[in-house]
Amino acid sequence: MISLHRLANQAAASAYYKAVENNVFNGAIPLKYAQLSAISASVAAKCLYCIPAHTAMAKAAGATDEEIKTAVAIAADVGLNSAMLYGNQFDMDTFM
């Protein structure tokens, strides 16, 4: 990932990714659950690169295939309901 950044920014990018790994993926949420959340976010973003990466990291952290399928289903459900509400211009005051 570091090599994708401009040479002048690589040291800062390296520090950023290290901080994310130390403070986010190994922070308040246990690693397995953080990776399952990352799978959901990756699915929502439709990131071709992130989905297999976070799936592999989730499995390495002990996630089961059923947990991974559930993380994907959560992303799908949120996307479906968001599209239905947004597409039908559902009134926010009524929703809340």
Side-chain angles (χ1 to χ4, degrees):
M1 288 294 290
I2 305 305
S3 63
L4 297 175
H5 294 271
R6 292 181 49 232
L7 190 57
N9 297 339
Q10 288 183 2
S14 179
Y16 167 78
Y17 290 122
K18 187 173 297 245
V20 168
E21 181 180 341
N22 292 337
N23 300 313
V24 176
F25 284 101
N26 292 294
I29 298 173
L31 179 60
K32 178 173 88 168
Y33 302 109
Q35 288 298 341
L36 289 168
S37 295
I39 291 171
S40 288
S42 299
V43 169
K46 296 179 175 68
C47 182
L48 212 56
Y49 304 97
C50 300
I51 295 168
H54 288 292
T55 298
M57 289 185 271
K59 285 183 177 184
T64 65
D65 286 341
E66 194 64 19
E67 289 172 320
I68 291 166
K69 288 176 184 178
T70 301
V72 171
I74 289 168
D77 183 61
V78 170
L80 167 76
N81 289 306
S82 176
M84 293 298 291
L85 291 164
Y86 182 76
N88 286 296
Q89 301 175 31
F90 193 80
D91 181 63
M92 182 60 78
D93 292 330
T94 303
F95 180 74
M96 298 303 288

